[in-house]
Amino acid sequence: MRLLSFKPKRGGAARLGLLLASGGVIDIGAAAARARQRLPFDAGDMISLVAAGRSGLAALRQLVKAFRGTGSALSALRVLAPIPRPRKNVFCVGWNYLEHFEEGAKARPHVQEMPAHPAFFSKAPSAVTGPYDPVPLHAGVTAKLDWEVELGMIIGRGGRNIAEADAMKHVYGYTVINDVSAREVQRQHGQQWFKGKSLDGSCPMGPWIVTADEVPDAHALRVTCRVNGVTKQDANTRQMYFRIPRIIAELSAGLTLEPGDVISTGTPAGVGHARTPPEFMAPGDLLETEVEGIGVMRNRIVKA
């Protein structure tokens, strides 16, 4: 299933939707009300749906089976990030593609060998924005706004000290993320990346969550990033240095993961700051971020 958060373009509260194969969107709450079906989750809160686990998915299957109609046109909706405001920071993995690690060597004299463990950092919840929303440049704060396509995953069943062999049981689904980064800010705080990764609007996410049962192999997905139609990154998740089970096992060691937690799994080679000469985004640029089988985001860079 493809699950999204949206608002009607005329305004109103956030709602949950289910994208049909035909391209129409079922308003889950409205459809349940018409069918007089009681839902085991809040129809306006994706985290509530994720936390409902199997019972939530079973209720959605029942709803789809009973649904008659074509649903709303996607173009008639304002699509939000699937989890518009995560309860925690978005967990991120750095240096998870070997070629990306190598291309950044000049800017990273303090680390020359691939670490033995995943490098974790995070993006603030306020960085999250929608899959078609503008991404602000924050003039006066950064002049080096860079792109990073990533496969995102959503934790379903929570846990602590999750064994690597059990880790995939905790994945609810997948989404597309761009870890937009302010490069000079990223490096001017003692090499602590948090600030440069957390500017408002610097984490476009979406367009929806594809449930794990519809992704046969999360380590066989093409990931691409384009700026103004020019391909900048083109790789495959099979190239991940640390695979998803290892990421979950190491992140959850002594740290409880909860339903709705978002993990961004790292970016491949091709980022702007490592190019010769370096390239960065400017107002008016169109950033397109795509993960095969998941979806495509389109975000315009704007002055802020």
Side-chain angles (χ1 to χ4, degrees):
M1 282 183 275
R2 283 167 153 69
L3 308 172
L4 62 146
S5 296
F6 72 92
K7 289 183 178 180
K9 284 194 173 177
R10 65 181 180 273
R15 307 180 188 183
L16 297 184
L18 191 153
L19 184 67
L20 297 168
S22 63
V25 176
I26 297 177
D27 181 327
I28 291 172
R34 286 194 299 270
R36 297 184 180 180
Q37 179 182 340
R38 185 174 181 179
L39 299 173
F41 56 84
D42 179 345
D45 181 3
M46 186 67 78
I47 294 177
S48 175
L49 170 55
V50 172
R54 292 180 180 177
S55 65
L57 294 175
L60 291 181
R61 284 191 286 270
Q62 180 182 342
L63 194 67
V64 171
K65 187 175 181 180
F67 185 76
R68 298 291 180 268
T70 58
S72 300
L74 197 60
S75 60
L77 310 174
R78 181 192 168 198
V79 181
L80 310 174
I83 300 177
R85 180 78 179 199
R87 291 178 183 167
K88 298 178 185 173
N89 288 9
V90 175
F91 296 112
C92 303
V93 182
W95 306 330
N96 202 23
Y97 289 74
L98 187 57
E99 289 184 359
H100 174 58
F101 178 81
E102 292 173 345
E103 74 176 352
K106 291 181 181 179
R108 192 192 59 248
H110 60 298
V111 181
Q112 291 297 312
E113 294 185 3
M114 196 73 174
H117 301 273
F120 293 119
F121 62 94
S122 69
K123 295 174 81 80
S126 53
V128 172
T129 193
Y132 311 121
D133 289 343
V135 169
L137 178 62
H138 296 290
V141 177
T142 180
K144 297 181 177 180
L145 202 67
D146 206 346
W147 54 81
E148 294 193 12
V149 56
E150 308 202 4
L151 172 67
M153 60 177 165
I154 312 301
I155 292 295
R157 181 156 56 95
R160 185 177 63 211
N161 301 328
I162 298 168
E164 195 168 337
D166 297 328
M168 297 305 287
K169 299 174 185 177
H170 293 259
V171 177
Y172 185 83
Y174 301 92
T175 192
V176 183
I177 290 176
N178 200 302
D179 175 21
V180 174
S181 304
R183 293 302 185 190
E184 73 275 63
V185 180
Q186 181 183 345
R187 295 186 170 86
Q188 70 189 14
H189 294 278
Q191 294 294 333
Q192 296 292 320
W193 297 351
F194 172 75
K195 174 65 177 177
K197 297 283 193 173
S198 289
L199 300 186
D200 289 354
S202 67
C203 188
M205 182 190 304
W208 33 69
I209 295 170
V210 178
T211 52
D213 60 298
E214 293 200 5
V215 182
D217 186 355
H219 300 102
L221 304 176
R222 186 181 182 189
V223 293
T224 52
C225 179
R226 297 178 292 277
V227 179
N228 299 327
V230 178
T231 299
K232 302 296 185 179
Q233 295 175 282
D234 189 348
N236 195 288
T237 54
R238 72 170 64 93
Q239 298 167 270
M240 284 184 185
Y241 192 81
F242 298 107
R243 295 201 158 202
I244 290 171
R246 175 78 180 277
I247 291 169
I248 292 174
E250 292 231 13
L251 184 59
S252 71
L255 186 160
T256 300
L257 296 178
E258 299 175 305
D261 282 351
V262 181
I263 302 175
S264 198
T265 58
T267 200
V271 296
H273 80 92
R275 291 172 173 265
T276 304
E279 300 176 18
F280 299 104
M281 292 184 288
D285 285 349
L286 178 64
L287 175 65
E288 294 179 287
T289 314
E290 182 171 4
V291 177
E292 177 188 9
I294 308 298
V296 184
M297 301 192 297
R298 296 179 177 88
N299 302 92
R300 188 73 64 177
I301 309 302
V302 299
K303 291 182 179 179

